[in-house]
Structures are given as C-alpha cells and as structure tokens.
Amino acid sequence: MVPRYDLKRIHMLSDMPESMLDRFADIAHLYIYSANMPLFESGENLKYFYMILTGQVSLSIDLVTDVSITLGTVGQGHACGVSAFIPESRSSSKAICDEPSELIVLSADEVFALFEEDWDLAYQFTSRIVRLFKAIMDHRTSIFLKSLKNNPQVQKSLRQTELAQII
C-alpha cells in the first residue's frame, strides 16, 4: 500500500478525488530501484505501470546492436509504461533507471479489476492515461522529425518525396 499523499505527488493523479486515490493506494506498491536497473524492454508485453516518486528513468530504443537512441527521461512526478493499459500491445521502448529511484508500481490487472468495480474511477484514470499517451506520442514524433531533419543522408533521399514537405 502507498499513502495517498505519495500518489498526489504524481502529476496525472494530483487532482484526482481522494476516494479514488484511496482505491489506488490499496493496490499500489512502492519499490526502490538501483541505478542502471531495467524496468522493461522494448517489445515487452507490460504488466505494470510505473510512476516516479524520486529519481529518473531513461526511455530508449535500440536501432542496431550497440546503437540506441534516448527518447527522453521521465522524472519525479511523471510516469511510464502506458502500454500496460493497451491490451495486446508491446512496449515501444526500454526503460532503465538512471539513478536510484523510488517508483510507485501499479499492476495493470489490478487496475482493470478496479475499473470493473467503479466506472467513474475507470473514466477518471483512463482519461488521464489518454492525455499521457498523447503527450508521449507528440514528443516522440517531434524527436523523429528532428532526427530526419538533421540527417543529411535522409534529407537527400527525401528531396524527391512528398514527405520532405512535411519535415
């Protein structure tokens, strides 16, 4: 169990009604991870959602062996592992703790069980997850477009395509 005041420190939950936070507090677990500890791998079917209470987590993808791109970092008050709430989906990145970190962890199965009991809670939480997912996709799209824009080889190849007008 995680105290309600710790859940309120997570941005996406900060304005959630206290009665709903109490429901999450009952199923949430607080774990301490060491630096360089992986949370999940790219392509993994996630079972847990991670909210960073203290510390920092890096999200990255491996392009080829020994070459990866950091998509960003997730710090205090933010969350990662959204694909845990999308049935049959897989994580698009890997997550590794950059430093010792305290993470609040929710089991997706337990969250879905709460949803069956309380539809208002399901709506409140799901709408927050959708906003988080949109922010992640917007951020990753901007990184992708910047990568394309700053790569001379890609620019040369794109000059003859319609995609070059977008970038």
Side-chain angles (χ1 to χ4, degrees), residues 96-113:
I96 298 174
C97 291
D98 291 335
E99 58 192 52
S101 303
E102 292 178 292
L103 304 180
I104 298 171
V105 180
L106 290 175
S107 160
D109 289 340
E110 290 182 87
V111 170
F112 287 137

Side-chain angles (χ1 to χ4, degrees), residues 15-160:
D15 65 342
M16 186 172 267
E18 290 189 3
S19 61
M20 291 181 184
L21 287 175
D22 289 339
R23 303 286 308 268
F24 284 115
D26 290 340
I27 64 167
H29 299 278
L30 182 64
Y31 294 104
I32 298 173
Y33 291 86
S34 60
N36 300 317
M37 185 171 214
L39 300 179
F40 53 84
E41 294 292 328
S42 180
E44 187 177 331
N45 186 352
L46 300 185
K47 296 180 181 350
Y48 300 99
F49 179 65
Y50 303 89
M51 297 175 283
I52 293 81
L53 198 56
T54 64
Q56 182 172 286
V57 173
S58 285
L59 301 172
S60 62
I61 56 172
D62 292 328
L63 293 179
V64 291
T65 306
D66 297 329
V67 177
S68 65
I69 293 177
T70 299
L71 300 172
T73 57
V74 183
Q76 186 173 324
H78 295 280
C80 62
V82 174
S83 64
F85 299 115
I86 305 170
E88 305 303 320
S89 74
R90 305 240 177 240
S91 173
S92 59
S93 64
K94 66 180 177 181
I96 298 174
C97 291
D98 291 335
E99 58 192 52
S101 303
E102 292 178 292
L103 304 180
I104 298 171
V105 180
L106 290 175
S107 160
D109 289 340
E110 290 182 87
V111 170
F112 287 137
L114 281 181
F115 288 176
E116 291 296 322
E117 297 171 12
D118 187 338
W119 291 4
D120 288 334
L121 176 118
Y123 172 77
Q124 290 283 332
F125 189 76
T126 304
S127 64
R128 287 164 169 77
I129 289 294
V130 168
R131 285 193 298 268
L132 178 59
F133 188 71
K134 181 186 181 316
I136 291 166
M137 291 298 101
D138 288 348
H139 176 72
R140 290 190 183 171
T141 299
S142 75
I143 289 172
F144 177 69
L145 292 174
K146 285 177 188 174
S147 297
L148 290 177
K149 187 176 183 178
N150 295 327
N151 186 317
Q153 247 181 335
V154 171
Q155 283 297 307
K156 183 178 177 183
S157 299
L158 287 177
R159 284 193 186 105
Q160 290 84 22

